Amino acid sequence: METPLSRTDRTRLGRHAERAGTTRSDLDAVLDQGMVCHLGVVVNGSPRVIPTGYGRIGGTLYLHGSTGASSLAASPSQEVCVTVTHLDGVVLARSVFNHSLNYRSAIIYGVPRPVTDPDEKLAGLRAITERLAPGQWDHARLPTRKELAATTVLALPLTEASVKVRQGPPIDEDEDYALDLWAGVLPVRQVLDAPEPDPRLPPGVPVPPHIARRATPTS
Amino acid sequence: METPLSRTDRTRLGRHAERAGTTRSDLDAVLDQGMVCHLGVVVNGSPRVIPTGYGRIGGTLYLHGSTGASSLAASPSQEVCVTVTHLDGVVLARSVFNHSLNYRSAIIYGVPRPVTDPDEKLAGLRAITERLAPGQWDHARLPTRKELAATTVLALPLTEASVKVRQGPPIDEDEDYALDLWAGVLPVRQVLDAPEPDPRLPPGVPVPPHIARRATPTS
């Protein structure tokens, strides 16, 4: 059976409730296609939003940062908001008012737990690395003790969250469908281009298959 | 002469200060290539981060929302944080620790001003619409008085802001360059595909040139 997402006042959609995803698998589907989240924290009473990487293992989201970074250092035992957004299209309606975006987004609230167990810390870092660069954890040089000590890892439970999805053509006012105006959707996609070798790489080092196969096919 | 960005404690980069953009034109360059920002607000003491559209006119950023939306309604006279991020590449280093992202990002802080002047409100909505859908303001049906009344527009001055840019190959530890490992960058791009007509469009309505020309050329 599908795990339902929690419904709290702030995760219940006020507007366009029909766009809500309601299960953990709806949430995982959004998280597992992204590379960057926007992490919101409150610093001295003011909001701060920073882009950062993330990873997921089961019902836990992992975030990381330098032990010296102010925004992450501010987070333990304070509430955070993590938002992941995929832009899928620009919705061109017959009226300016009904222009919109097609998107999939997830918003997660919670108090992150600093990860102190060495095994969980490695697993969290592996999840974050593999989200950005699948296959690299088993390929690149693994972290030293010093590098691990310089890295903060936070764990956020995927319990209080909302998912919102808008797809499809514009929804215009009834009377506007008679207007002699083009309407539709301009699809938006994120693509990965062919890998660019580091100029400091010796000649002849081949691109490993797990990297080469990530480039988006041009059809 | 270039307008420098303000330097406050929270816009001065603590880490990787060499990645900072320092002028208003650095900021404008990030803003003028995006379609979605992440708006951070504090609601009941907790951070909330929502994706939304935006527009820029000179030194002012415009945001909009339904007059019924709780997060925007919470914003007037409260501080917000607006972050715009472009992901440009996945940086694949020889060590897991030095994996990174290439990106351009802007973070703006301020107390938004509700726009009440009808001319400024229209201008702000035009800027937001044209950011998503250039050419549509002069093409689609313009807002009615009722539609305008249902829309809140906020103005945020572009005074307190930071810009951070990372581009280029991985930076590995000196000793790691000797490892027999591929390293480089996987470029990431956002593309627009061919427009998809609304199924309710009568046959034969041509795609206007200002929309058709937005599709990303396939090379």
Side-chain angles (χ1 to χ4, degrees), chain A residues 142-154:
Chain A
L142 291 177
T144 62
R145 286 168 72 112
K146 194 178 159 193
E147 287 171 344
L148 282 176
T151 308
T152 301
V153 176
L154 299 175

Side-chain angles (χ1 to χ4, degrees), chain A residues 10 38 46 48-49 79 83 85 94 96 99 109 136 141 176 183-185 187-189 191-193 196 198, chain B residues 10 38 46 48-49 79 83 85 94 96 99 109 136 141 176 183-185 187 189 191-193 196 198:
Chain A
R10 58 188 177 182
H38 281 79
S46 299
R48 177 175 299 181
V49 179
E79 206 159 34
T83 300
T85 305
R94 292 156 184 87
V96 161
H99 274 58
Y109 297 96
Q136 282 293 88
R141 175 178 66 68
D176 287 340
V185 172
V188 178
R189 260 186 318 143
V191 298
L192 302 185
D193 289 328
E196 296 172 348
D198 183 347
Chain B
R10 60 188 176 183
H38 281 80
S46 300
R48 179 174 298 181
V49 179
E79 207 159 33
T83 300
T85 305
R94 292 156 184 87
V96 161
H99 274 58
Y109 297 95
Q136 282 292 88
R141 174 179 66 68
D176 287 340
V185 172
R189 259 185 321 141
V191 298
L192 302 184
D193 289 327
E196 296 172 348
D198 184 349

Side-chain angles (χ1 to χ4, degrees), chain B residues 161-213:
Chain B
S162 64
V163 175
K164 200 169 177 180
V165 176
R166 195 230 183 265
Q167 304 286 297
I171 307 294
D172 269 303
E173 308 303 322
D174 285 343
E175 60 272 26
D176 287 340
Y177 282 94
L179 295 172
D180 186 24
L181 288 173
W182 190 89
V185 172
L186 207 48
V188 178
R189 259 185 321 141
Q190 193 175 66
V191 298
L192 302 184
D193 289 327
E196 296 172 348
D198 184 349
R200 291 187 59 176
L201 207 62
V205 181
V207 179
H210 72 276
I211 296 170
R213 80 167 73 99

Side-chain angles (χ1 to χ4, degrees), chain B residues 15-26:
Chain B
R15 302 186 63 244
H16 289 299
E18 79 286 358
R19 297 182 183 167
T22 55
T23 65
R24 255 293 307 288
S25 56
D26 293 333

Side-chain angles (χ1 to χ4, degrees), chain A:
Chain A
M1 205 185 98
E2 289 267 40
T3 312
L5 293 172
S6 79
R7 279 285 162 267
T8 57
D9 276 353
R10 58 188 177 182
T11 57
R12 195 175 291 115
L13 299 187
R15 302 185 63 244
H16 290 297
E18 78 287 359
R19 296 181 184 168
T22 54
T23 65
R24 256 292 308 287
S25 56
D26 293 333
L27 176 61
D28 294 349
V30 173
L31 296 179
D32 294 353
Q33 289 194 24
M35 293 197 272
V36 170
C37 69
H38 281 79
L39 169 67
V41 292
V42 179
V43 180
N44 299 326
S46 299
R48 177 175 299 181
V49 179
I50 52 169
T52 187
Y54 66 91
R56 183 182 73 85
I57 303 177
T60 304
L61 192 82
Y62 288 96
L63 302 165
H64 77 318
S66 159
T67 48
S70 57
S71 42
L72 261 184
S75 302
S77 80
Q78 283 195 41
E79 206 159 34
V80 303
C81 176
V82 173
T83 300
V84 173
T85 305
H86 307 293
L87 179 58
D88 294 325
V90 183
V91 180
L92 303 164
R94 292 156 184 87
S95 66
V96 161
F97 186 73
N98 285 312
H99 274 58
S100 187
L101 291 171
N102 282 339
Y103 62 90
R104 291 158 290 143
S105 70
I107 303 184
I108 303 147
Y109 297 96
V111 178
R113 168 177 59 82
V115 175
T116 52
D117 177 79
D119 290 341
E120 188 186 5
K121 192 166 179 178
L122 268 181
L125 287 173
R126 180 185 181 127
I128 296 165
T129 304
E130 291 285 304
R131 178 101 300 287
L132 292 176
Q136 282 293 88
W137 189 267
D138 293 329
H139 183 81
R141 175 178 66 68
L142 291 177
T144 62
R145 286 168 72 112
K146 194 178 159 193
E147 287 171 344
L148 282 176
T151 308
T152 301
V153 176
L154 299 175
L156 187 66
L158 295 176
T159 42
E160 187 181 356
S162 64
V163 175
K164 200 169 177 181
V165 176
R166 194 231 186 265
Q167 303 286 303
I171 308 294
D172 270 303
E173 308 302 322
D174 285 343
E175 60 272 26
D176 287 340
Y177 283 94
L179 294 173
D180 185 24
L181 288 173
W182 190 89
V185 172
L186 206 49
V188 178
R189 260 186 318 143
Q190 193 175 64
V191 298
L192 302 185
D193 289 328
E196 296 172 348
D198 183 347
R200 291 187 59 176
L201 208 61
V205 181
V207 179
H210 72 276
I211 296 170
R213 80 168 73 98
R214 286 191 75 198
T216 308
T218 51
S219 56

Side-chain angles (χ1 to χ4, degrees), chain B residues 28-45:
Chain B
D28 294 350
V30 173
L31 297 178
D32 293 354
Q33 291 194 23
M35 291 197 274
V36 170
C37 69
H38 281 80
L39 169 67
V41 292
V42 178
V43 180
N44 300 326

